[in-house]
Amino acid sequence: MGAAVAATIPGIHHVTCITGDVQKCVDFYVGVLGLRFVKKSINQDLPDTYHIYFGDYLGTPGTAMTFFGWPTWPKQRAGSGQITTVSFQVPPGSLGFWSNRLKELRVDHRMVTTFETDALMLRDADGIELALVAQASDDRWKPWPDGPVDEEHAIRGFHSVTMTLAEMAATFNLLTTAMGFRVATQEGKTTRFETGQGGPHSVLDVIEAPEGPEGEESIGTVHHVAWRTPDPDAQVAWRDTLLTAGRNVTPVIDRWYFKSIYFREPGGVLFEIATDGPGFTVDESPEELGTGLSLPPWFQVRRDRLDEILPPIVVPTTATTGAH
Ligand code: ZN
């Protein structure tokens, strides 16, 4: 009876945020950042509202930035108990290109250096803080040949997410024991964790900020981060591990594009663990991703009503349509 090999999370699966204006959101992520609009669907828990997905050509796990379209929600503030920065990876030589592009499209940005790596900081159309980090790997990336940003400079997917917590001890414990993360390094109030093979797409930064303010789940904030797991069996094992670690974990939920479990880490941030498959090509071919309203089979009965109530979305097709 050999000791069980501790499971590891390979990295980020997707990040989900709240937008107050799906059209401005699409204009920004496609028209400015050059991600592909890979899926137009609905929030399965609030099915009168959009859930839209951006990513690489296929929305490969590790590249999918997604939004709930909740226009009637308040716009409050990001803060502790939340993911406060979403970082994308771009090739090390591409920051000059990106700075020029953002200038042309009138998106404010500034250059920073964190953990000895250069990055551009900017905000999306809803005010969510983003970083373009000059450290990339092409391992998991499927380029979008018709994208508005040249492949040489295109975003490769997520680099990392940053959580801000009022207190880190319990989170540190969960991450480094049950969840298999390890501390990579530390700088000021930020502790950098890595999982899986480490490097871009598997980095989690945690800022301890007891002074607050506390974040509010609202427009312009990150709703949750999903971590990858290869398949449903591994996901069930994660569920057991997390229950044993004292987390209150949901049952497995079929999201159609992947299966998911959810729990809050001790600092209050909503974590999801999502399977790599089946992915966004489950109901659309790679060429037609994002072109229609995609609904899981059990929501098809609502299609006529949804066509009536959901506002149309126009996906920009050129590099110059980003800024309104
Ligand atoms: Zn999710």
Side-chain angles (χ1 to χ4, degrees), residues 272-310:
E272 173 181 352
I273 293 181
T275 55
D276 277 350
F280 297 113
T281 52
V282 69
D283 59 2
E284 289 177 316
S285 69
E287 299 74 38
E288 63 187 9
L289 282 178
T291 54
L293 179 65
S294 288
L295 300 173
W298 53 94
F299 279 111
Q300 293 293 348
V301 292
R302 293 180 184 244
R303 181 173 289 277
D304 289 349
R305 172 172 159 73
L306 289 167
D307 279 340
E308 244 168 64
I309 60 172
L310 290 171

Side-chain angles (χ1 to χ4, degrees), residues 13-16 51 53 66 68 223-226 255 258 260 262 272 274:
H13 185 289
H14 65 267
V15 176
T16 297
H51 190 176
Y53 300 74
T66 97
F68 300 145
H223 190 268
H224 63 269
V225 60
R255 294 306 191 192
F258 37 81
S260 301
Y262 302 83
E272 173 181 352

Side-chain angles (χ1 to χ4, degrees), residues 13 36 38 53-64 142 279-280 289:
H13 185 289
R36 188 181 184 203
V38 291
Y53 300 74
F54 308 94
D56 69 359
Y57 182 60
L58 297 176
T60 307
T63 74
K142 305 282 183 297
F280 297 113
L289 282 178

Side-chain angles (χ1 to χ4, degrees), residues 32-269:
V32 176
L33 294 190
L35 300 183
R36 188 181 184 203
F37 184 70
V38 291
K39 192 62 70 180
K40 179 165 71 174
S41 191
I42 52 164
N43 180 302
Q44 295 181 25
D45 304 308
L46 290 170
D48 287 353
T49 61
Y50 273 126
H51 190 176
I52 56 175
Y53 300 74
F54 308 94
D56 69 359
Y57 182 60
L58 297 176
T60 307
T63 74
M65 182 75 163
T66 97
F67 285 83
F68 300 145
W70 288 345
T72 60
W73 277 42
K75 183 165 167 61
Q76 287 164 292
R77 59 164 184 243
S80 61
Q82 290 182 322
I83 287 165
T84 43
T85 309
V86 181
S87 299
F88 296 96
Q89 37 169 315
V90 297
S94 292
L95 286 192
F97 163 87
W98 277 103
S99 183
N100 286 336
R101 180 176 176 81
L102 294 172
K103 227 173 275 166
E104 272 168 29
L105 297 174
R106 296 198 181 84
V107 178
D108 286 341
H109 59 283
R110 67 197 158 87
M111 174 88 88
V112 299
T113 304
T114 48
F115 295 107
E116 294 167 9
T117 306
D118 291 335
L120 296 178
M121 306 298 300
L122 61 150
R123 289 184 183 276
D124 79 359
D126 288 286
I128 294 167
E129 187 172 78
L130 307 178
L132 302 180
V133 181
Q135 183 185 44
S137 152
D138 292 355
D139 286 358
R140 304 190 48 71
W141 173 61
K142 305 282 183 297
W144 175 23
D146 304 324
V149 173
D150 195 89
E151 283 182 29
E152 184 188 349
H153 300 299
I155 287 173
R156 266 59 178 161
F158 296 112
H159 176 274
S160 51
V161 290
T162 304
M163 311 199 290
T164 300
L165 304 180
E167 205 215 276
M168 189 164 81
T171 298
F172 185 101
N173 186 43
L174 179 78
L175 288 172
T176 56
T177 57
M179 291 192 72
F181 282 72
R182 55 196 183 272
V183 175
T185 176
Q186 206 194 353
E187 186 178 277
K189 288 180 176 176
T190 307
T191 305
R192 170 157 289 186
F193 297 86
E194 285 189 331
T195 181
Q197 296 180 338
H201 141 268
S202 61
V203 176
L204 169 62
D205 287 342
V206 180
I207 300 173
E208 190 167 39
E211 68 279 11
E214 227 176 274
E216 305 276 354
E217 193 175 281
S218 58
I219 289 170
T221 64
V222 178
H223 190 268
H224 63 269
V225 60
W227 304 101
R228 290 175 53 210
T229 196
D231 55 53
D233 288 344
Q235 184 175 55
V236 168
W238 273 117
R239 187 164 186 276
D240 292 344
T241 299
L242 290 159
L243 286 169
T244 304
R247 293 295 98 200
N248 189 1
V249 191
T250 67
V252 174
I253 300 171
D254 188 352
R255 294 306 191 192
W256 183 231
Y257 310 108
F258 37 81
K259 291 184 171 18
S260 301
I261 56 173
Y262 302 83
F263 61 99
R264 285 197 190 270
E265 58 79 33
V269 177

